[in-house]
């Protein structure tokens, strides 16, 4: 069974309405110890995400408002020089979550495989994904830390799962697990069966890596072109 987002997500979500004030957002980030929160409409649908970076846009451009000696970082000055259409400049003017947020938000669903959610985070460089139902309403949130929980699965559970899917009882094959590392030993009738056993074990949730110490009686892979044979 492949773990899905629903298995690891957090349902007690810190979120704000799009009309929430700058100060409300800042206080929520601090009190909950998070670096970003979903922004919702009146129907609890996710509109975007507001993060610490979004709030800091105000600080970057404060010279524009207060005329003090603060000089924004180079990147901020470049965005400002690009005109009012720049997102940094726009956010520096924002007073509500709706004006400060990054939109649209990258989201996921409860039935999405954990590995797919991880790939979305990696592709877009985000640390968390709001979890929405079919109507786009917020039901939870999943973070990088939540995804790591998969690798804390007890070794005993992993071993039972691996034994079941590789059908260890049907062959001269043994499974051992230590801190998520699976070791497969024994002799199988065919080389292809050994390759398949390793691949199946690698796909089990919680497996960190697989040590292949298998041998076989007949090298059927060498006989089949699709396996790399002649």
């Amino acid at each position: 069974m492949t773990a899905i987002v629903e298995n690891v997500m957090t349902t007690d979500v810190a979120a704000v309405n799009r009309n929430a004030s700058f100060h409300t957002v800042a206080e929520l980030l601090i009190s909950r110890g998070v670096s970003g929160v979903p922004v919702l409409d009146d129907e609890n649908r996710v509109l975007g995400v507001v993060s610490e970076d979004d709030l800091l846009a105000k600080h970057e451009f404060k010279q524009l408002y207060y005329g003090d000696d603060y000089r924004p970082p180079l990147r901020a000055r470049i965005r400002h020089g690009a005109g009012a259409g720049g997102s940094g400049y726009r956010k520096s003017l924002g007073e509500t979550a709706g004006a400060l947020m990054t939109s649209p938000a990258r989201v996921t669903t409860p039935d999405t495989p954990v590995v797919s959610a991880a790939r979305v985070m990696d592709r877009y460089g985000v640390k968390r994904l709001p979890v929405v139902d079919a109507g786009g309403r917020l039901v939870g949130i999943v973070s990088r830390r939540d995804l790591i929980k998969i690798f804390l699965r007890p070794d005993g559970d992993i071993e039972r799962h691996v034994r079941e899917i590789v059908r260890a009882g049907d062959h001269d094959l043994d499974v051992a697990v230590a801190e998520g590392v699976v070791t497969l030993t024994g002799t199988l009738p065919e080389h292809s069966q050994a390759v398949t056993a390793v691949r199946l074990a690698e796909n089990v949730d919680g497996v960190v890596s697989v040590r292949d110490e298998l041998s076989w009686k007949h090298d059927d892979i060498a006989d089949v072109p699709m396996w790399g044979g002649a």
Side-chain angles (χ1 to χ4, degrees):
M1 179 179 66
T2 300
I4 57 177
V5 167
E6 186 175 24
N7 301 145
V8 298
M9 72 181 188
T10 299
T11 55
D12 179 21
V13 187
V16 294
N17 183 273
R18 60 185 169 189
N19 296 318
S21 69
F22 182 101
H23 282 170
T24 296
V25 175
E27 289 173 356
L28 183 61
L29 293 180
I30 294 172
S31 65
R32 294 294 293 268
V34 294
S35 58
V37 293
V39 180
L40 313 177
D41 66 11
D42 295 335
E43 302 299 323
N44 209 40
R45 290 187 292 263
V46 177
L47 301 175
V49 173
V50 62
S51 68
E52 292 172 333
D53 288 342
D54 296 324
L55 299 190
L56 287 173
K58 177 84 67 182
H59 185 64
E60 289 179 349
F61 287 92
K62 72 176 184 177
Q63 183 184 36
L64 178 65
Y65 297 95
Y66 302 113
D68 58 16
D69 294 330
Y70 173 79
R71 186 166 178 76
L74 177 60
R75 286 187 299 175
R77 299 200 304 272
I78 290 174
R79 290 200 301 270
H80 175 53
S87 61
Y89 182 82
R90 175 180 59 79
K91 290 177 182 180
S92 75
L93 302 177
E95 297 180 356
T96 64
L100 294 161
M101 70 182 181
T102 298
S103 180
R106 302 296 177 185
V107 300
T108 188
T109 57
D111 58 350
T112 298
V114 165
V115 66
S116 297
R119 287 172 180 166
V120 171
M121 289 186 189
D122 180 65
R123 182 179 307 122
Y124 296 105
V126 296
K127 298 179 180 178
R128 67 192 54 76
L129 295 172
V131 184
V132 300
D133 63 15
R137 291 176 291 272
L138 183 70
V139 295
I141 196 162
V142 62
S143 68
R144 292 178 179 176
R145 179 175 298 180
D146 294 326
L147 300 185
I148 293 174
K149 293 176 184 176
I150 291 296
F151 294 102
L152 299 180
R153 186 180 183 186
D155 288 341
D157 289 350
I158 296 174
E159 181 178 334
R160 284 189 290 273
H161 193 173
V162 172
R163 286 184 179 278
E164 178 182 341
I165 66 168
V166 302
R167 299 175 64 86
D170 297 344
H171 305 289
D172 180 18
L173 186 156
D174 191 43
V175 179
V177 183
E179 296 187 348
V181 177
V182 176
T183 301
L184 300 179
T185 58
T187 302
L188 296 175
E190 307 287 351
H191 188 178
S192 61
Q193 292 176 317
V195 172
T196 299
V198 171
R199 289 178 178 174
L200 289 172
E202 287 174 338
N203 288 329
V204 170
D205 290 326
V207 171
V208 175
S209 66
V210 176
R211 294 175 180 170
D212 178 7
E213 299 180 4
L214 295 170
S215 58
W216 52 89
K217 297 177 180 177
H218 175 239
D219 190 1
D220 57 332
I221 287 180
D223 301 331
V224 182
M226 67 174 290
W227 286 92

